[in-house]
Amino acid sequence: MKLTQEKCEACQVGAPKVTSEEQEQFLQELDDWIVITEVKETRNYVDNETSTTKKINKLFKEYKFKNYALALEFATQVANLAEQENHHPLIALEWGRVRVWWWTHAIEGLHKNDFVCAAKTDEL
Amino acid sequence: MKLTQEKCEACQVGAPKVTSEEQEQFLQELDDWIVITEVKETRNYVDNETSTTKKINKLFKEYKFKNYALALEFATQVANLAEQENHHPLIALEWGRVRVWWWTHAIEGLHKNDFVCAAKTDEL
């Protein structure tokens, strides 16, 4: 089944992250989406030496537009899709461009849902 | 005159950045806006040693909301204000929060316009 034909399923803590094989396969179905890894380092305040590093994968894409009105219209459509799927990305709106990051907070990484939503974002 | 009563003026390369005294004064008229400094380092590709550092001041504020619909509504209002003033911020929309950065691309820093727009954002 194509990603765009699937629906977001409710996702909770403990839900499976995509494997690297799945990630490869899903990315091939998408246009110009890339996986970025956000690295968060939390330093131990007591000894100021040890720290915990957390890596969160996110799906990212930048869309360009000729003017602000078109960019705003697209950002609003992405937001409406988010409500419909009950899955909410980070949307960054500026003059002439919209950037979108999909990931699943509950599992701090990528779920199949994120690829489904990315595919649907491209269809808007 | 209060910031909210002023209008954005056309801003071009060479327009004056706010002085640190003006910045202090304007910030006092605003609620919870802070100035963040973005540091961009561009390394020389030839010698890989020298580099140019550029610092860009931006006005930043985070707004929290109880749900996505309210956050989207506010983000849309900010976008409409941007079109009205012909000055466009970075708006980041997520579940439960909207972050806004105002600055002036043409002068790579803060113009009085940015404080005017920040004050008007608070009025929405």
Side-chain angles (χ1 to χ4, degrees):
Chain A
M1 188 152 51
K2 286 180 90 177
L3 286 172
T4 46
Q5 291 166 331
E6 305 205 22
K7 180 133 179 51
C8 261
E9 35 181 284
C11 191
Q12 290 168 334
V13 176
K17 287 185 189 176
V18 291
T19 63
S20 50
E21 289 75 25
E22 286 170 328
Q23 183 172 302
E24 278 300 303
Q25 182 207 321
F26 294 151
L27 276 177
Q28 281 174 18
E29 294 188 45
L30 297 175
D31 286 328
D32 299 326
W33 286 87
I34 58 169
V35 173
I36 58 146
T37 304
E38 196 178 278
V39 180
K40 277 192 181 170
E41 196 190 343
T42 311
R43 193 162 284 277
N44 182 322
Y45 284 114
V46 180
D47 65 13
N48 200 30
E49 280 179 13
T50 52
S51 64
T52 325
T53 304
K54 199 181 272 181
K55 292 184 181 180
I56 303 177
N57 281 351
K58 302 183 177 185
L59 265 177
F60 169 77
K61 183 166 175 175
E62 178 182 56
Y63 297 86
K64 300 263 192 181
F65 298 92
K66 275 181 304 187
N67 58 46
Y68 196 66
L70 289 171
L72 171 58
E73 191 188 329
F74 178 72
T76 308
Q77 287 176 333
V78 179
N80 290 337
L81 168 69
E83 278 292 71
Q84 196 178 303
E85 299 285 337
N86 195 26
H87 190 44
H88 304 86
L90 165 58
I91 305 171
L93 167 67
E94 281 169 289
W95 196 95
R97 72 167 172 165
V98 173
R99 286 172 293 162
V100 181
W101 291 260
W102 287 104
W103 79 103
T104 301
H105 290 75
I107 60 172
E108 296 187 315
L110 290 171
H111 185 275
K112 188 177 182 183
N113 284 344
D114 297 301
F115 294 86
V116 171
C117 286
K120 290 186 178 181
T121 307
D122 274 345
E123 279 200 327
L124 294 172
Chain B
M1 185 153 52
K2 287 180 87 176
L3 287 172
T4 47
Q5 290 166 331
E6 304 205 22
K7 179 131 179 55
C8 261
E9 37 181 283
C11 191
Q12 291 170 332
V13 177
K17 287 185 190 179
V18 291
T19 65
S20 50
E21 289 75 25
E22 286 170 327
Q23 182 172 303
E24 277 301 303
Q25 181 207 322
F26 294 151
L27 276 177
Q28 280 173 20
E29 292 188 47
L30 297 175
D31 286 329
D32 300 325
W33 285 86
I34 59 169
V35 173
I36 58 147
T37 303
E38 197 178 277
V39 180
K40 277 192 183 169
E41 195 190 344
T42 311
R43 192 162 284 279
N44 182 322
Y45 285 114
V46 180
D47 65 12
N48 200 32
E49 278 178 15
T50 53
S51 65
T52 326
T53 304
K54 198 180 274 181
K55 291 184 181 180
I56 303 177
N57 281 351
K58 302 182 176 185
L59 266 177
F60 170 77
K61 183 167 177 176
E62 179 183 55
Y63 297 86
K64 300 263 193 182
F65 298 91
K66 277 183 301 188
N67 58 47
Y68 196 66
L70 289 171
L72 172 57
E73 192 188 329
F74 179 72
T76 307
Q77 286 175 334
V78 178
N80 290 336
L81 168 68
E83 278 291 73
Q84 195 179 302
E85 300 285 337
N86 196 26
H87 190 43
H88 304 85
L90 166 58
I91 305 172
L93 167 66
E94 281 169 289
W95 196 96
R97 72 167 173 165
V98 173
R99 287 171 292 163
V100 182
W101 291 259
W102 287 104
W103 80 102
T104 301
H105 290 74
I107 60 172
E108 297 189 315
L110 290 170
H111 185 274
K112 189 177 182 183
N113 284 345
D114 298 301
F115 295 87
V116 171
C117 286
K120 291 186 178 183
T121 307
D122 275 344
E123 278 200 328
L124 293 173

